[in-house]
Amino acid sequence: MGFTRIQEKLKILADAAKYDVSCASSGSKRSNTNKGLGDATGMGICHSYTEDGRCVSLLKILLTNHCIFDCAYCVTRKSNDIKRAAFQVQEVVDLTINFYRRNYIEGLFLSSGIFKSADYTMERLVAVAKKLRTEEKFNGYIHLKSIPGASDELMKEAGLYADRLSVNIEIPTKEGLKLLAPEKNREDFIKPMIKVKNEIIQYKSEKKLIKSTPLFAPGGQSTQMIIGASGESDQQIMWTSNYFYKKFELKRVYYSGYIPISYDSHLPHIGTEVPMLRENRLYQTDWLMRFYGFEVHEILNESHKNLDLEVDPKLGWALRNLEYFPVDVNTADREMLARIPGVGMKSVHKIIQARRFRRLNWEHLQRIGIAMNRAKYFLVCASQDFERRDLTGPQLKSLILQNTTSKYQKTLSPQLNLFE
Ligand code: SF4
């Protein structure tokens, strides 16, 4: 297989992988200076974060963009007239090792379209990871995409070689999936997740007893949902997310705004991309659920099915629940401090530390780094001058927006209106 053909495959299969956001990605600017294999410019190098917060660069590719399925939202679907390619197992191993030796990458993110069957494809993904670990003694990061419907045996093997496993839910609701990917079955996503969750628990408990027990997917498992392809509300999306976090102990759920790529009566029109701001608001809500003690129904419920794009979800919640404010920063408990708009968890920690020694005033809070433009309306401190307390939620919102620049400007796209 010539160098040019490998390069061509790399171009096709790295480009096809960019739609998967299960590892946060950004293009690499590193270019080839010695005419060797592995010019990283635009060739599938992305960045991701490990459990301990380290940023790692990964080779992000598909094993193949051939697929037997025809999911309407996917660029790789079989009816789409695109250039196809497939790597051999050894080619992915060689590419990874070559890129690794040149310091272009620290790991591999490997996904795939489905060749003949789920198991046939999964076997090849596992074979790549196994060769890297056992033959090449590769200790870099490996994130393997699990193929829905793959057998328990293959999932177990995958976890022994990969740091992280993920299986994409794709569409947030069963109904949406049925409409856009009728050949797919939600159970096929769930089965591998259950297997991975159980194995992680089992291996962890065995490791406590027997030190030599190997690691099993130490980075846990994650999933991705496509947002805006099937008209779900933010409430439905976050309920699904919450369910998967709790039921399968996922490390992360990723939200990927659907990019209209084809004319299909079931899908949003071309040119109506999901605004980046909607993705951001979903991530902020996800964060509030995982680290700030919020329940989904507090932020999204029957009266508020979609997130307000103009203000962040914590501010939105505070504006609808003014009866909880103002919060006295010198006496409030951790949970309530975390609910003040503009106060992050680091600031909560600093406030609790600092107030042991003095009563905190505006100046102290500013030094701690809280976002005073929002926070000042929702708290009291040792300073005597208070912000206005006689405003309603909508009045307060417009006051905050007036005093805030670009970050909260409206960036609505036509797609949001489509499903109202
Ligand atoms: S099975 Fe996966 S790769 Fe194949 S068309 Fe559906 S989403 Fe795309």
Side-chain angles (χ1 to χ4, degrees):
M1 182 66 60
F3 171 66
T4 321
R5 179 60 189 143
I6 294 281
Q7 260 199 324
E8 195 188 347
K9 283 189 191 184
L10 186 56
K11 194 168 185 306
I12 295 169
L13 295 170
D15 191 60
K18 75 184 178 200
Y19 296 97
D20 197 317
V21 297
S22 309
C23 69
S25 76
S26 59
S28 170
K29 297 272 181 280
R30 196 192 322 243
S31 60
N32 190 334
T33 48
N34 61 1
K35 305 259 182 273
L37 178 68
D39 185 334
T41 313
M43 285 286 203
I45 310 289
C46 78
H47 297 114
S48 188
Y49 291 89
T50 58
E51 275 315 283
D52 56 8
R54 269 184 322 118
C55 178
V56 291
S57 31
L58 304 176
L59 171 62
K60 181 178 177 180
I61 49 172
L62 298 190
L63 187 65
T64 182
N65 66 343
H66 287 281
C67 192
I68 54 172
F69 286 104
D70 204 34
C71 310
Y73 47 83
C74 178
V75 72
T76 300
R77 70 191 184 283
K78 71 176 174 202
S79 63
N80 201 15
D81 184 17
I82 51 166
K83 254 191 170 174
R84 307 276 172 175
F87 278 124
Q88 305 281 338
V89 167
Q90 192 58 46
E91 287 170 348
V92 179
V93 173
D94 293 343
L95 270 178
T96 309
I97 295 301
N98 277 322
F99 274 33
Y100 188 74
R101 289 207 177 116
R102 284 171 167 77
N103 273 337
Y104 289 172
I105 57 160
E106 291 157 279
L108 170 69
F109 174 96
L110 185 61
S111 183
S112 186
I114 300 175
F115 278 116
K116 287 181 189 169
S117 67
D119 275 354
Y120 184 88
T121 312
M122 194 69 212
E123 248 173 53
R124 273 145 193 80
L125 297 180
V126 172
V128 170
K130 186 175 181 179
K131 268 180 177 273
L132 281 169
R133 293 290 193 227
T134 58
E135 293 175 20
E136 304 292 339
K137 308 290 177 224
F138 177 74
N139 285 316
Y141 183 85
I142 299 179
H143 180 157
L144 281 192
K145 194 55 76 174
S146 316
I147 303 297
S151 70
D152 282 359
E153 293 69 33
L154 283 167
M155 291 311 302
K156 182 166 175 175
E157 221 189 331
L160 292 173
Y161 303 119
D163 293 280
R164 174 168 281 191
L165 293 169
S166 58
V167 51
N168 288 350
I169 309 167
E170 304 292 10
I171 299 295
T173 62
K174 270 187 189 170
E175 300 70 37
L177 188 71
K178 206 169 172 193
L179 187 72
L180 299 176
E183 305 153 300
K184 278 188 167 172
N185 183 350
R186 200 168 171 97
E187 290 314 305
D188 288 342
F189 304 110
I190 289 176
K191 215 176 116 246
M193 276 189 197
I194 296 174
K195 178 69 183 167
V196 172
K197 178 194 154 186
N198 291 342
E199 292 294 337
I200 290 174
I201 293 170
Q202 195 183 328
Y203 271 79
K204 266 189 190 161
S205 68
E206 277 175 23
K207 194 146 184 77
K208 278 183 198 155
L209 300 172
I210 310 163
K211 272 214 155 26
S212 59
T213 305
L215 292 169
F216 186 91
Q221 57 176 336
S222 58
T223 193
Q224 168 185 283
M225 274 191 272
I226 297 172
I227 302 312
S230 45
E232 289 86 359
S233 64
D234 292 339
Q235 183 195 18
Q236 287 171 301
I237 293 165
M238 294 317 297
W239 271 116
T240 303
S241 220
N242 188 47
Y243 172 79
F244 279 91
Y245 272 126
K246 291 196 169 148
K247 181 105 179 158
F248 305 106
E249 295 172 18
L250 296 189
K251 287 285 180 197
R252 287 296 302 271
V253 175
Y254 293 88
Y255 309 91
S256 171
Y258 173 66
I259 302 166
I261 41 166
S262 62
Y263 292 98
D264 184 310
S265 58
H266 297 119
L267 288 165
H269 303 304
I270 288 177
T272 58
E273 280 95 37
V274 172
M276 183 78 90
L277 196 49
R278 185 177 181 199
E279 274 181 40
N280 289 349
R281 295 292 182 234
L282 289 169
Y283 277 114
Q284 285 171 328
T285 308
D286 182 290
W287 206 257
L288 291 180
M289 278 160 37
R290 290 190 297 137
F291 302 112
Y292 284 72
F294 279 86
E295 295 291 337
V296 191
H297 68 84
E298 294 183 273
I299 302 170
L300 290 158
N301 47 49
E302 284 307 299
S303 323
H304 298 279
K305 292 188 176 190
N306 287 301
L307 295 164
D308 187 339
L309 293 192
E310 292 181 304
V311 295
D312 69 73
K314 186 155 75 157
L315 177 54
W317 173 82
L319 291 168
R320 294 194 301 274
N321 293 280
L322 289 177
E323 67 275 17
Y324 292 114
F325 298 98
V327 168
D328 186 339
V329 290
N330 285 300
T331 57
D333 61 20
R334 176 182 291 272
E335 286 68 33
M336 211 49 224
L337 287 173
R339 287 182 175 236
I340 304 172
V343 177
M345 286 315 288
K346 272 191 191 156
S347 299
V348 168
H349 181 71
K350 285 184 191 167
I351 288 170
I352 291 171
Q353 295 296 318
R355 74 187 185 186
R356 286 191 194 154
F357 306 103
R358 63 180 74 84
R359 283 181 51 74
L360 304 179
N361 59 28
W362 290 131
E363 209 186 311
H364 297 134
L365 293 173
Q366 222 149 10
R367 261 190 266 141
I368 280 173
I370 70 172
M372 293 300 279
N373 60 338
R374 277 166 286 158
K376 64 185 177 184
Y377 301 104
F378 299 93
L379 60 83
V380 284
C381 57
S383 301
Q384 292 305 311
D385 49 329
F386 295 118
E387 285 298 327
R388 293 182 62 183
R389 304 285 179 215
D390 57 341
L391 299 176
T392 62
Q395 287 169 330
L396 198 46
K397 176 179 167 182
S398 80
L399 182 66
I400 291 171
L401 287 173
Q402 270 169 33
N403 298 328
T404 313
T405 45
S406 63
K407 201 171 167 194
Y408 294 111
Q409 298 302 314
K410 255 190 167 183
T411 54
L412 296 170
S413 94
Q415 193 179 67
L416 277 183
N417 301 328
L418 210 65
F419 299 117
E420 275 175 8

